[in-house]
Amino acid sequence: MQRTIGQLEGRMKALERSVGEIHSDTKAMRETIDQAKGGWKTLFLVAGVAGAAGALIGKLIPFVK
C-alpha cells in the first residue's frame, strides 16, 4: 500500500510540473497574440490616416491650379 501511494505521489508531482509548463507556455502565447493585436490596430490606423490624407489632397488639387 505504501509503495502504491509513493508511486501515485510521484506521478502527481510529475503532472503538476507538466501543468505548470503548459500554463507558462499558454501565457507566453497569449502575450504574443496580444502584441500582434496592437500591431494590426496600429497598421490599420496608419492606413486610414494615409487614405484620408490622400483623398483630401486629391480633392484640393483642382483648387490649387
Side-chain angles (χ1 to χ4, degrees):
M1 188 67 153
Q2 292 294 337
R3 184 181 302 167
T4 305
I5 293 173
Q7 289 174 347
L8 290 174
E9 286 178 349
R11 291 173 66 188
M12 183 60 112
K13 287 181 182 181
L15 277 172
E16 288 174 346
R17 281 193 301 270
S18 294
V19 169
E21 291 173 4
I22 291 170
H23 179 66
S24 63
D25 290 345
T26 304
K27 192 173 185 179
M29 289 169 41
R30 183 181 175 128
E31 290 173 357
T32 302
I33 290 170
D34 287 342
Q35 289 175 355
K37 284 182 184 176
W40 282 106
K41 289 178 184 176
T42 303
L43 178 65
F44 283 124
L45 177 67
V46 169
V49 169
L56 181 65
I57 290 171
K59 286 289 186 179
L60 293 177
I61 286 178
F63 297 111
V64 175
K65 289 182 179 182

